[in-house]
Amino acid sequence: MSTPVDVPTPVTAEPVLPAAGGADPRPLAAPTTSVNPIQRDHATTIFEKGAPGRRSFVAPDAGVPEADLDEILPAGLRRTAPARLPQVTEGEIVRHYVRLSRRNFDLDTGFYPLGSCTMKHNPRLHERVTALPGHARLHPFQEPERAQGALELMWGLERQLAEVSGLPHVCLQPSAGSHGELAGVLLARAYHEARGETRTKVLTPDTAHGTNPATVTMAGLEVVKVATNPDGGVDLDDLRAKADDDTALLMLTNPNTLGIFDPNIQEIASIVHGVGGVLYYDGANLNAIMGITRPGDMGFDIVHFNLHKSFTQPHGGGGPGSGPIAVSDRVAPFLPLPVIRRDDAPAPGTRTGPSGAAFSLVEDATALPEGAPGSRSIGKLRGFQGNYGCFVRSYTYITSLGAAGLRDASETAVLNANYLLAKLEEHGVRELLPLAFGTRCMHEFVLSGGPLKRELGVKTLDVAKRLLDHGFHPPTVYFPLLVDEALLIEPVETEARETLDAFALVLAEILREAKDDPTIAQNAPYSTPVRRLDEAGAAKRPVLRQPLD
Amino acid sequence: MADASYPEDLKYHPEHDWARIDGDTAVFGITWYAQDALGEVVFFDPPEVGATVTAGESYAEIESVKAVSDVVAPLSGEILEVNDALEDGPEAVNEDPYEAGWLVKVRLSDPSEIDALQDRDTYVASLS
Amino acid sequence: MTRYTTTTEADREEMLRAVGVTSTRDLLAEQIPAALLRDEPLDLPDGRGEQEVHAHLRDLAGANTSAEDEVTFLGAGMYDHYVPAIIDMLLGRSEFLTPYTPYQPEVSQGGLQVMFEYQTAISELTALPVSNASVYEGPSAVAAAAYLAKLHNGRGKLVVSAGAHPHTLQTLETLAHGYGQEVVVVPLKGGATDPDAWAAAIDETTSAAIVQQPNFLGAVEDVAALTAAAKEAGGDKLVTVGAYDPITLGILVPPGEAGIDVAVGEGQTLGNRLDFGGPSFGFFAARDAFLRRMPGRIAGETTDVDGRRGFVLTLQTREQHIRREKATSNICTAQALNALAGVVYLGWLGREGLPELAELLARRTHYARTTLAAIDGVELLHDRPVVREFALRLPGIDVPALVAHVQDRGYHPGLPLVRTHGDEHADGLLVALTEQRTKEQIDRLAELLVGAIAAQRGGGSASPQAAASRNGVAA
């Protein structure tokens, strides 16, 4: 059901704009305040479909001798009322979810410049190899002798990530970036405790991602914020004032969430190491520097990687991801278990991986030599050894690209971002959406919508919503918090120049349209499956499941 | 939303909280400036009746869709009442921050603290 | 090398000109100090094209013995259930596979509605009113429940049954050290949580009381009795936590009807592959009172400006990007795609199918346990009711060697408990069933165990390799 939409009349006749796909040369008439037929689909959950008696699953016969169920499981332990799951056929399920999928915008379909998320193309080879039964149907408790391929792959990924980061010891276990952060903070704590020191403070810049302070609290420590200087880097004076012998670690990313590489990083490392603290690198922005520079060389002790950012694990609408960590020698003994060890000269008859080496999975810290990675392990952060399906994809990616390919990826990411910045300048976009800090950027940059809001009453949010009508996913909005009306744009290396050109033109068009009539953007989007949603109502009166009574 | 207003008869705390004094009791709330910065209020998590509040310290949280804010006590005392109507109608804090949007009523433990609060003109001046 | 970038030489020239630099290196050198800017390449092998890389990944797969290569009775937290074909197809769709977390709800109604449906399904399964949109997996979900308990009551002690998965116990120990809580483990007695020790361990300093259902040894616990005792000893502020295998909720009393406040669990059995341990998903459901302490994303229903029904991420003030250091969790990326598999699977099983599947499992498990326990040399480790997994003892037998012997013959008999429990269950074997394990396979497993035991008792080799090495011949 939909009420008739009050459609504003287009202000000009037919500006000609490039297609959102970027490469299609045929021009499009101005989008688009028109109604999208998909808007007439009323959202209906699977629970509201189907009927009693419909089904998909056919249970096999038990095939075993009859037995009284009460003998197997006393009635008091058995469920009386079944879960009210849907009753639908396979055809109904497929149609429901396929139609639902069409209400999503996705990366395969269009440009997705979400800053800090690194929305690069997800190669389809990765889906094929992950689905090989030798990987997909391997049980995590399989005897390690019969999982040599998996262990060799994991060991190989560990070596690759060690080389990219410049830190030799890797653990693949954490399930996502923030899980890796938690591992990092717990490792730093363990390192200090082992030296007989209790340090309670974690320094984070005020540009930090929200997961950083949340992680610190979960690890039982306290956040101390460090100021940002006018160039967008860490304020060294503030850092010197706050770093002391209660500092457990400094959590930083470089380039930071403003897309700026802090040129003082070696000084920062020296200040923190000077007070005995540990330096932690949030790898969310690794896409800017692969093969170009390395956190280990900058002085970091702990790095986490987001395999679902730089290393192509598809985002899946919110996961799965994977957050491996790499650490320096002094932190390595505390790494989580299990640890993979490689034997290059196994006894004859030992099962090996294709390389000829034999791999073991050590689950017990006491079985490890003194000082070896994991020998004083903090324990486990989750079940088994981590999101192996993600390891397969990232390993495949790095193997495909090699050193030169990784460097090409990061260089192109930086070039694309600076190019887009230049095009936005050329089209006059940066008058109302100025660059918040500096003049150059690494792989992403932050514009401020402050002037746009003051002059035209149009907010960053409105620009984002109007971009949806043009077939682009908006950049990240309102992050980092340091920038007023922030618009964080990360074009990534897999996008073609034509797409970047198209995006710049469209942003210019949105601003031109806003000067004429700000209400168009303020009431956008018009052509998406639903229009602006009442988020306050959803929070005040939460309805979090389909009622079934 | 109401237009910006700051009643004359209230006392103000620099963290954007107000107090309406009545003998040895007071009613607290947040100012127009605070509700405007928050956006549409969706949830107020009140303290328990009988709890102690300390001047200058947070005694509750107030949430909009995209933000959480500490609510600071202008004065010290013991909670006598909380505004239960906000549970179903939190938007009263936006629409009527000084009357229907009141948060708690307190028995004051140290009335001398009133002298440290700002009067309307001082508070309004501090906003610019 | 493969590259997924598009820039040609011509593109680069034009772009560099637009930026106003002579080379990419100059662009980098403007921003990165010379001492840190590398010229030498990373020490990695050269990249390769798709078909070569594919061959390499196939070789690696070939060095693994998967459930495709052997009939497996391995369980212990993850199980070889049948994953229906529609799941592969739906998870492969671009629109589900490649978008990010739904930060722009107008173009994410597909993903948000999937979360809403998933939350509904988990709520139904657990008989608890509120579910989130997923957490990472089983053991860390239990730790997340412990964190919720700490936020709720501020108490310092966690009491957990020894029946919890060893990885859960280890994860709790590691993460609780961070939260500042102490972990006390209550032993089993006769295969289930010792009720006296449980009651004795709990008092008003206990933040959460945690039990696994079925427990690690496959035993069905009397959860209702345990939660009642926990509330009695710990008071109303104590939080009861149950870690459940969701498939068994087709037949077992759901946590919401057994006095559980927060139900969590490993979701792999719901439509997800084994994948050597991940990715899968964890579920997290709770009573209404805990809504604002829940970790993770939650999708809520609302309307748009024209009155259309829609969904948004809601109650975000709990989460890290707003509440930062006071967040209910640091979780950001979770397991959305795996949760999609979960809700599709539950719809595919359906209202009647899930109880049918669970009953099928219980019947075959009962048959398997009876059959194997009848073998000379095999005993039950406990005789509690079981529904999909059970534990055996083989006194005097080298169980890992027995496993290798059986594996050489194309079957995997289950987890040797020495691997997780050391001396405590040195001669133990944990055997799991799924609907893919038929009566014929169970009978064949019994034959193989008989043979493997005989081979050890006969003083001969337990495996062809050991025999061959004794004879000085390469296996």
Side-chain angles (χ1 to χ4, degrees), chain C residues 288-318:
Chain C
D288 276 322
F290 300 103
L291 174 58
R292 290 195 138 79
R293 302 262 188 235
M294 298 262 289
R297 312 287 188 193
I298 301 184
E301 183 174 333
T302 186
T303 51
D304 81 351
V305 291
D306 296 327
R308 295 180 191 87
R309 185 186 189 194
F311 304 93
V312 289
L313 290 180
T314 193
L315 304 176
Q316 292 189 66
T317 46
R318 297 161 303 117

CSV table of all heavy atoms in Angstrom, one decimal, chain C residues 288-318:
chain,number,residue,atom,x,y,z
C,288,ASP,N,12.9,-9.4,27.8
C,288,ASP,CA,12.7,-8.0,27.6
C,288,ASP,C,13.5,-7.1,28.4
C,288,ASP,O,14.0,-6.1,28.0
C,288,ASP,CB,11.2,-7.6,27.8
C,288,ASP,CG,10.3,-7.9,26.6
C,288,ASP,OD1,10.8,-7.6,25.5
C,288,ASP,OD2,9.2,-8.3,26.8
C,289,ALA,N,13.7,-7.5,29.7
C,289,ALA,CA,14.4,-6.6,30.7
C,289,ALA,C,15.8,-6.3,30.2
C,289,ALA,O,16.4,-5.3,30.6
C,289,ALA,CB,14.4,-7.3,32.0
C,290,PHE,N,16.4,-7.2,29.4
C,290,PHE,CA,17.8,-7.0,29.0
C,290,PHE,C,17.9,-6.4,27.6
C,290,PHE,O,19.1,-6.3,27.1
C,290,PHE,CB,18.5,-8.4,28.9
C,290,PHE,CG,18.5,-9.1,30.3
C,290,PHE,CD1,17.6,-10.1,30.5
C,290,PHE,CD2,19.3,-8.7,31.3
C,290,PHE,CE1,17.5,-10.8,31.7
C,290,PHE,CE2,19.2,-9.3,32.5
C,290,PHE,CZ,18.4,-10.4,32.7
C,291,LEU,N,16.9,-5.9,27.1
C,291,LEU,CA,16.9,-5.3,25.7
C,291,LEU,C,18.0,-4.3,25.5
C,291,LEU,O,18.8,-4.3,24.6
C,291,LEU,CB,15.5,-4.7,25.3
C,291,LEU,CG,15.5,-4.0,24.0
C,291,LEU,CD1,15.9,-4.9,22.9
C,291,LEU,CD2,14.1,-3.5,23.8
C,292,ARG,N,18.1,-3.3,26.4
C,292,ARG,CA,19.0,-2.2,26.2
C,292,ARG,C,20.5,-2.6,26.6
C,292,ARG,O,21.4,-1.8,26.4
C,292,ARG,CB,18.6,-1.0,27.0
C,292,ARG,CG,17.3,-0.4,26.3
C,292,ARG,CD,17.0,1.0,26.8
C,292,ARG,NE,16.6,1.8,25.6
C,292,ARG,CZ,15.4,1.8,25.1
C,292,ARG,NH1,14.4,0.9,25.5
C,292,ARG,NH2,15.1,2.5,24.0
C,293,ARG,N,20.7,-3.8,27.1
C,293,ARG,CA,22.0,-4.3,27.3
C,293,ARG,C,22.5,-5.3,26.3
C,293,ARG,O,23.6,-5.8,26.4
C,293,ARG,CB,22.1,-5.1,28.7
C,293,ARG,CG,21.6,-4.3,29.8
C,293,ARG,CD,22.7,-3.7,30.6
C,293,ARG,NE,22.3,-3.1,31.8
C,293,ARG,CZ,22.6,-1.8,32.2
C,293,ARG,NH1,23.3,-1.1,31.3
C,293,ARG,NH2,22.2,-1.4,33.3
C,294,MET,N,21.7,-5.6,25.3
C,294,MET,CA,22.0,-6.6,24.3
C,294,MET,C,23.2,-6.1,23.4
C,294,MET,O,23.2,-4.9,23.0
C,294,MET,CB,20.8,-6.8,23.3
C,294,MET,CG,19.7,-7.4,24.0
C,294,MET,SD,19.6,-9.1,23.8
C,294,MET,CE,19.2,-9.3,22.1
C,295,PRO,N,24.1,-6.9,23.1
C,295,PRO,CA,25.1,-6.5,22.1
C,295,PRO,C,24.6,-6.7,20.7
C,295,PRO,O,23.6,-7.4,20.4
C,295,PRO,CB,26.2,-7.6,22.4
C,295,PRO,CG,25.5,-8.8,22.8
C,295,PRO,CD,24.2,-8.3,23.5
C,296,GLY,N,25.4,-6.1,19.8
C,296,GLY,CA,25.2,-6.4,18.4
C,296,GLY,C,24.0,-5.6,17.7
C,296,GLY,O,23.3,-4.9,18.4
C,297,ARG,N,23.9,-5.8,16.4
C,297,ARG,CA,22.9,-5.1,15.7
C,297,ARG,C,21.5,-5.6,16.0
C,297,ARG,O,21.4,-6.8,16.2
C,297,ARG,CB,23.1,-5.3,14.2
C,297,ARG,CG,24.5,-5.1,13.7
C,297,ARG,CD,24.9,-3.6,13.7
C,297,ARG,NE,26.2,-3.4,13.1
C,297,ARG,CZ,26.8,-2.2,13.2
C,297,ARG,NH1,26.3,-1.2,13.8
C,297,ARG,NH2,28.0,-2.1,12.6
C,298,ILE,N,20.5,-4.8,15.9
C,298,ILE,CA,19.1,-5.2,16.0
C,298,ILE,C,18.3,-4.4,15.0
C,298,ILE,O,18.5,-3.2,14.9
C,298,ILE,CB,18.6,-4.9,17.4
C,298,ILE,CG1,19.4,-5.6,18.5
C,298,ILE,CG2,17.1,-5.3,17.5
C,298,ILE,CD1,18.8,-5.4,19.9
C,299,ALA,N,17.5,-5.2,14.2
C,299,ALA,CA,16.7,-4.5,13.2
C,299,ALA,C,15.3,-4.3,13.8
C,299,ALA,O,14.8,-5.2,14.5
C,299,ALA,CB,16.6,-5.4,12.0
C,300,GLY,N,14.7,-3.2,13.6
C,300,GLY,CA,13.3,-2.9,14.1
C,300,GLY,C,12.4,-2.4,13.0
C,300,GLY,O,12.9,-1.9,12.0
C,301,GLU,N,11.1,-2.6,13.2
C,301,GLU,CA,10.1,-2.2,12.2
C,301,GLU,C,9.8,-0.8,12.4
C,301,GLU,O,9.7,-0.2,13.5
C,301,GLU,CB,8.9,-3.1,12.4
C,301,GLU,CG,7.8,-2.8,11.3
C,301,GLU,CD,6.7,-3.8,11.4
C,301,GLU,OE1,6.9,-5.0,11.9
C,301,GLU,OE2,5.5,-3.4,11.0
C,302,THR,N,9.4,-0.1,11.3
C,302,THR,CA,9.0,1.3,11.3
C,302,THR,C,8.2,1.6,10.0
C,302,THR,O,7.9,0.6,9.3
C,302,THR,CB,10.2,2.2,11.5
C,302,THR,OG1,9.7,3.6,11.7
C,302,THR,CG2,11.1,2.2,10.3
C,303,THR,N,7.9,2.8,9.8
C,303,THR,CA,7.3,3.2,8.5
C,303,THR,C,8.1,4.3,7.9
C,303,THR,O,8.8,5.1,8.5
C,303,THR,CB,5.9,3.7,8.7
C,303,THR,OG1,5.9,4.7,9.7
C,303,THR,CG2,4.9,2.6,9.1
C,304,ASP,N,7.9,4.5,6.5
C,304,ASP,CA,8.6,5.6,5.9
C,304,ASP,C,7.6,6.8,5.8
C,304,ASP,O,6.5,6.8,6.2
C,304,ASP,CB,9.2,5.2,4.5
C,304,ASP,CG,8.2,5.2,3.4
C,304,ASP,OD1,7.0,5.3,3.6
C,304,ASP,OD2,8.6,5.0,2.2
C,305,VAL,N,8.1,7.9,5.1
C,305,VAL,CA,7.3,9.1,5.1
C,305,VAL,C,6.0,9.0,4.4
C,305,VAL,O,5.1,9.7,4.5
C,305,VAL,CB,8.1,10.3,4.4
C,305,VAL,CG1,9.3,10.7,5.3
C,305,VAL,CG2,8.6,9.9,3.0
C,306,ASP,N,5.9,8.0,3.5
C,306,ASP,CA,4.7,7.7,2.8
C,306,ASP,C,3.8,6.6,3.5
C,306,ASP,O,2.8,6.2,2.9
C,306,ASP,CB,4.9,7.3,1.3
C,306,ASP,CG,5.6,8.4,0.6
C,306,ASP,OD1,5.4,9.6,0.8
C,306,ASP,OD2,6.4,8.1,-0.3
C,307,GLY,N,4.3,6.2,4.6
C,307,GLY,CA,3.5,5.1,5.3
C,307,GLY,C,3.9,3.7,4.9
C,307,GLY,O,3.2,2.8,5.4
C,308,ARG,N,4.9,3.5,4.1
C,308,ARG,CA,5.3,2.1,3.8
C,308,ARG,C,5.9,1.4,5.0
C,308,ARG,O,6.7,2.0,5.7
C,308,ARG,CB,6.3,2.1,2.6
C,308,ARG,CG,5.8,2.6,1.3
C,308,ARG,CD,6.9,2.6,0.2
C,308,ARG,NE,6.4,3.4,-0.9
C,308,ARG,CZ,6.6,4.7,-1.0
C,308,ARG,NH1,7.2,5.3,-0.1
C,308,ARG,NH2,6.1,5.3,-2.1
C,309,ARG,N,5.7,0.1,5.1
C,309,ARG,CA,6.3,-0.6,6.1
C,309,ARG,C,7.8,-0.8,5.8
C,309,ARG,O,8.1,-1.1,4.6
C,309,ARG,CB,5.7,-2.0,6.2
C,309,ARG,CG,6.2,-2.9,7.4
C,309,ARG,CD,5.6,-4.3,7.3
C,309,ARG,NE,6.0,-5.1,8.5
C,309,ARG,CZ,5.8,-6.4,8.5
C,309,ARG,NH1,5.4,-7.0,7.5
C,309,ARG,NH2,6.1,-7.0,9.6
C,310,GLY,N,8.7,-0.6,6.8
C,310,GLY,CA,10.1,-0.8,6.5
C,310,GLY,C,10.8,-1.1,7.8
C,310,GLY,O,10.3,-1.3,8.8
C,311,PHE,N,12.2,-1.3,7.6
C,311,PHE,CA,13.0,-1.8,8.7
C,311,PHE,C,14.2,-0.9,8.8
C,311,PHE,O,14.8,-0.5,7.8
C,311,PHE,CB,13.4,-3.2,8.5
C,311,PHE,CG,12.1,-4.1,8.4
C,311,PHE,CD1,11.7,-4.4,7.1
C,311,PHE,CD2,11.5,-4.6,9.5
C,311,PHE,CE1,10.5,-5.2,6.9
C,311,PHE,CE2,10.3,-5.4,9.3
C,311,PHE,CZ,9.9,-5.7,8.0
C,312,VAL,N,14.7,-0.7,10.0
C,312,VAL,CA,16.0,0.0,10.3
C,312,VAL,C,16.8,-0.6,11.4
C,312,VAL,O,16.2,-1.4,12.2
C,312,VAL,CB,15.7,1.5,10.7
C,312,VAL,CG1,15.1,2.3,9.6
C,312,VAL,CG2,14.8,1.5,12.0
C,313,LEU,N,18.1,-0.4,11.4
C,313,LEU,CA,18.9,-0.7,12.6
C,313,LEU,C,18.4,0.2,13.7
C,313,LEU,O,18.3,1.4,13.5
C,313,LEU,CB,20.4,-0.5,12.3
C,313,LEU,CG,21.0,-1.4,11.3
C,313,LEU,CD1,22.5,-1.1,11.2
C,313,LEU,CD2,20.9,-2.9,11.8
C,314,THR,N,18.1,-0.4,14.8
C,314,THR,CA,17.5,0.4,15.9
C,314,THR,C,18.3,0.2,17.2
C,314,THR,O,19.1,-0.7,17.3
C,314,THR,CB,16.0,0.1,16.0
C,314,THR,OG1,15.5,1.2,16.9
C,314,THR,CG2,15.7,-1.2,16.7
C,315,LEU,N,17.9,1.0,18.2
C,315,LEU,CA,18.6,1.0,19.5
C,315,LEU,C,20.1,1.0,19.4
C,315,LEU,O,20.8,0.3,20.1
C,315,LEU,CB,18.1,-0.3,20.3
C,315,LEU,CG,16.6,-0.4,20.5
C,315,LEU,CD1,16.2,-1.7,21.1
C,315,LEU,CD2,16.1,0.7,21.3
C,316,GLN,N,20.5,1.9,18.4
C,316,GLN,CA,21.9,2.0,18.1
C,316,GLN,C,22.7,2.6,19.2
C,316,GLN,O,24.0,2.5,19.2
C,316,GLN,CB,22.2,2.7,16.8
C,316,GLN,CG,21.7,1.9,15.6
C,316,GLN,CD,22.1,2.5,14.3
C,316,GLN,OE1,23.2,2.6,13.9
C,316,GLN,NE2,21.1,3.1,13.5
C,317,THR,N,22.0,3.3,20.1
C,317,THR,CA,22.7,3.9,21.2
C,317,THR,C,23.4,2.9,22.1
C,317,THR,O,24.2,3.3,23.0
C,317,THR,CB,21.8,4.8,22.1
C,317,THR,OG1,20.6,4.1,22.3
C,317,THR,CG2,21.4,6.1,21.3
C,318,ARG,N,23.1,1.6,22.0
C,318,ARG,CA,23.8,0.6,22.7
C,318,ARG,C,25.2,0.4,22.2
C,318,ARG,O,26.1,-0.2,22.9
C,318,ARG,CB,23.1,-0.8,22.6
C,318,ARG,CG,21.7,-0.9,23.2
C,318,ARG,CD,21.0,-2.1,22.6
C,318,ARG,NE,20.9,-2.0,21.2
C,318,ARG,CZ,21.5,-2.9,20.4
C,318,ARG,NH1,22.2,-3.9,20.8
C,318,ARG,NH2,21.5,-2.7,19.1
